[in-house]
Amino acid sequence: MKSLTYAEENYLKAIYHLSEEGKKEVSTNSISDELKTKPASVSDMIKKLAVKGVINHKKYQGVRITTSGIEAALQIVRKHRLWEVFLVNKLNFNWDEVHEVAEELEHIQSPLLIQRLDEFLGYPKYDPHGDPIPDETGTYKLKPKTPLNELQVGDSGQIIAVKDSSAAFLQYLDKVGAYIGAKIRVIDKVEFDGSLEILVDNKKNLFVSKDVSKNILITNI
Amino acid sequence: MKSLTYAEENYLKAIYHLSEEGKKEVSTNSISDELKTKPASVSDMIKKLAVKGVINHKKYQGVRITTSGIEAALQIVRKHRLWEVFLVNKLNFNWDEVHEVAEELEHIQSPLLIQRLDEFLGYPKYDPHGDPIPDETGTYKLKPKTPLNELQVGDSGQIIAVKDSSAAFLQYLDKVGAYIGAKIRVIDKVEFDGSLEILVDNKKNLFVSKDVSKNILITNI
DNA sequence: ATGAGTGTTTAGCTTTGTCTAAAAATATTC
DNA sequence: GAATATTTTTAGACAAAGCTAAACACTCAT
Ligand SMILES: [Mn+2]
Ligand SMILES: [Mn+2]
Ligand SMILES: [Mn+2]
Ligand SMILES: [Mn+2]
């Protein structure tokens, strides 16, 4: 099993994330969207990843990640999320500042480093955005969660994760006082546009659009 | 001032280290030795670095680092050594295990990361090998030091740094109980081969060859 | 079932960083 | 000071990763 280059790791991780959300087949265009490269570049890379056995590919038919590809991707995800925990918990980064840096740090090659970092952080199970951290074997715990927009008036729960980890979205959440662990109760729902009025931590009324609420994940009750 | 690529940073740092020890002019071959690349590759890279203004070069005349080159090199050295401190002080790496990993970590681009890491580590002034850590402005404190082989019988002092940071040398020092801060007294000196008998921490007699003693740096008394 | 539109791949080019082999310049030795 | 040895540079190739433009394949609607 020859190892992956920096760019190959980024592609594989993108393919892994794309196959997670929904169907198994991942299209060339969706990969190029995700990574902001051109479809032609994706076609080239697909060939390399197929040769290394981390994906299967039939021409014009999209791409499917293999078992060994999932294993490799989970280790990259593990590193990414451990570094995010480090940045937030130890270096006082805000949760909207960690993604870019973790995107680089995840490629550092040193099993000892990751093992010790995990230990130093106290074997965290979730990253600052509520995403689960796989262990050395690739095992991770998925907490059941529901997008806020699917809750009904009167429903309540806690914010457990965010679907969108972009700086813009996280900064918005900071501004309105939403954070992982915050208590949420749905006060009112506008059927026309799917927007919600919610109560945060029993003290703050907030109006959120559907674009926002579908990116906030709530504990199942 | 356009920024440097990963490989350019490694070359510039090597040139900086080579100009530190001894003369200003650095030869193509010495760079290729240091980086284990071929002289032809060095010639290519020299052109790129000269265009970016970090070195001066006249054909067949060696290379001289510029003021702006020194500035850039010091920031890479700063990152390298801060990461080494992190690995040893926080992740319990041994001092012989840090170099390779720091060689990768030093290229992570994030001023905030380095500033916060420095703060997290308590603004260390020296790395695990006794080398000084430049601050954000490139300033650092050089402690006066003498190679152990230059001491005379009866002289004493403390180990303040090592000149060779290879794993093999550091593991040898571990084995014989030598470390940064250890007290040293020269008991006897063999003129024939320059080897020394020394007393470590007032309790351990040790025979060291000149190859070893010239790589151990002692406080000036 | 065919033609238009969309999605994917190929062809050909660029940049970065490496290499080998050969040429050119400098250094050393007799 | 000429011959030889060493060092450095150039020339040409290759792999990785990206791009644009053009060709090809699949899908869907008429
Ligand atoms: Mn990445
Ligand atoms: Mn995350
Ligand atoms: Mn390096
Ligand atoms: Mn060091």
Side-chain angles (χ1 to χ4, degrees):
Chain A
M1 181 82 59
K2 52 191 80 99
S3 70
L4 302 174
T5 66
Y6 191 108
E8 285 169 351
E9 288 192 342
N10 282 335
Y11 274 93
L12 182 62
K13 191 173 60 130
I15 291 166
Y16 169 77
H17 284 316
L18 290 167
S19 8
E20 258 196 316
E21 52 182 53
K23 50 181 171 293
K24 301 247 182 287
E25 306 290 344
V26 177
S27 74
T28 299
N29 273 0
S30 67
I31 300 169
S32 87
D33 280 358
E34 178 84 6
L35 294 175
K36 282 115 169 67
T37 57
K38 301 296 163 184
S41 309
V42 175
S43 282
D44 282 347
M45 185 57 88
I46 279 173
K47 286 178 208 147
K48 296 175 195 165
L49 291 177
V51 167
K52 296 202 178 180
V54 291
I55 59 173
N56 289 320
H57 177 56
K58 268 172 294 176
K59 268 187 202 168
Y60 293 97
Q61 304 277 118
V63 134
R64 180 177 298 200
I65 193 165
T66 65
T67 308
S68 93
I70 291 172
E71 271 174 42
L74 282 171
Q75 286 312 304
I76 305 165
V77 167
R78 166 171 162 78
K79 290 193 267 179
H80 185 102
R81 292 179 181 165
L82 282 174
W83 281 116
E84 286 189 343
V85 172
F86 170 70
L87 294 172
V88 167
N89 292 7
K90 301 294 181 177
L91 299 196
N92 294 308
F93 276 57
N94 204 316
W95 66 343
D96 66 303
E97 298 173 317
V98 299
H99 193 79
E100 310 296 309
V101 185
E103 203 55 54
E104 293 190 49
L105 285 164
E106 69 188 356
H107 304 288
I108 303 283
Q109 300 294 358
S110 169
L112 181 62
L113 173 61
I114 293 308
Q115 183 237 297
R116 292 288 176 84
L117 182 64
D118 198 11
E119 181 183 351
F120 180 62
L121 298 173
Y123 304 105
K125 294 278 167 294
Y126 298 92
D127 86 356
H129 312 106
D131 292 314
I133 300 176
D135 68 17
E136 329 77 57
T137 73
T139 312
Y140 60 95
K141 281 212 295 283
L142 258 193
K143 285 194 189 149
K145 44 188 191 281
T146 314
L148 175 54
N149 66 298
E150 292 179 15
L151 268 63
Q152 302 306 317
V153 173
D155 287 354
S156 59
Q158 278 180 287
I159 299 182
I160 195 175
V162 291
K163 196 173 267 175
D164 176 355
S165 288
S166 71
F169 184 61
L170 299 176
Q171 282 163 18
Y172 164 80
L173 294 181
D174 281 346
K175 201 177 70 177
V176 301
Y179 58 95
I180 305 280
K183 290 198 190 71
I184 299 288
R185 174 193 299 270
V186 179
I187 302 298
D188 193 19
K189 185 169 196 167
V190 179
E191 284 308 326
F192 172 65
D193 62 356
S195 66
L196 295 177
E197 180 182 357
I198 62 178
L199 188 66
V200 180
D201 281 335
N202 295 317
K203 56 172 194 277
K204 222 179 137 161
N205 270 68
L206 188 63
F207 293 86
V208 295
S209 71
K210 188 169 181 181
D211 274 353
V212 166
S213 64
K214 70 187 180 196
N215 283 303
I216 298 179
L217 301 168
I218 305 294
T219 50
N220 279 3
I221 17 173
Chain B
M1 180 82 62
K2 53 191 79 101
S3 70
L4 302 174
T5 66
Y6 192 108
E8 284 169 351
E9 287 192 343
N10 282 336
Y11 274 92
L12 181 62
K13 190 172 61 130
I15 292 165
Y16 169 78
H17 284 316
L18 291 167
S19 10
E20 258 195 316
E21 53 181 53
K23 49 180 172 294
K24 303 247 182 286
E25 305 290 344
V26 177
S27 75
T28 300
N29 272 1
S30 67
I31 299 169
S32 89
D33 280 359
E34 178 84 6
L35 294 175
K36 283 114 167 67
T37 56
K38 300 296 163 183
S41 308
V42 175
S43 282
D44 283 347
M45 186 56 87
I46 280 173
K47 286 178 208 146
K48 296 175 196 165
L49 291 177
V51 167
K52 297 203 177 180
V54 291
I55 59 173
N56 289 319
H57 177 57
K58 268 173 293 175
K59 267 187 200 165
Y60 293 98
Q61 305 277 121
V63 133
R64 180 177 299 200
I65 193 166
T66 64
T67 308
S68 92
I70 292 172
E71 272 173 40
L74 282 171
Q75 287 312 303
I76 305 165
V77 167
R78 166 172 163 76
K79 290 192 267 179
H80 185 102
R81 293 180 181 164
L82 282 175
W83 281 115
E84 286 189 343
V85 171
F86 170 70
L87 294 172
V88 168
N89 291 7
K90 301 294 182 177
L91 299 196
N92 294 309
F93 276 58
N94 205 316
W95 66 343
D96 67 300
E97 299 173 315
V98 298
H99 193 78
E100 311 296 310
V101 185
E103 203 56 54
E104 293 188 49
L105 285 164
E106 69 188 357
H107 303 289
I108 303 283
Q109 300 293 358
S110 168
L112 181 62
L113 173 61
I114 294 307
Q115 182 237 296
R116 293 287 176 85
L117 182 64
D118 197 11
E119 179 184 352
F120 181 61
L121 298 173
Y123 305 104
K125 295 277 168 291
Y126 298 92
D127 85 357
H129 312 105
D131 293 313
I133 300 176
D135 67 17
E136 328 78 56
T137 73
T139 311
Y140 60 94
K141 280 211 297 280
L142 257 193
K143 284 193 188 149
K145 45 189 192 279
T146 314
L148 174 55
N149 65 301
E150 291 179 15
L151 268 62
Q152 302 306 317
V153 172
D155 287 353
S156 60
Q158 278 179 289
I159 300 182
I160 194 174
V162 291
K163 197 174 267 173
D164 176 355
S165 288
S166 71
F169 184 62
L170 299 176
Q171 282 163 17
Y172 164 79
L173 293 182
D174 281 346
K175 199 177 70 178
V176 300
Y179 59 95
I180 304 279
K183 290 198 190 69
I184 300 288
R185 174 191 299 271
V186 178
I187 301 298
D188 194 17
K189 183 168 195 168
V190 179
E191 284 307 328
F192 172 67
D193 64 354
S195 66
L196 295 177
E197 181 184 357
I198 61 179
L199 189 65
V200 180
D201 281 335
N202 296 316
K203 54 174 195 276
K204 221 176 142 168
N205 270 67
L206 189 62
F207 294 86
V208 293
S209 71
K210 189 170 181 181
D211 274 354
V212 166
S213 64
K214 70 187 180 197
N215 282 304
I216 298 179
L217 301 168
I218 306 293
T219 49
N220 280 3
I221 16 172

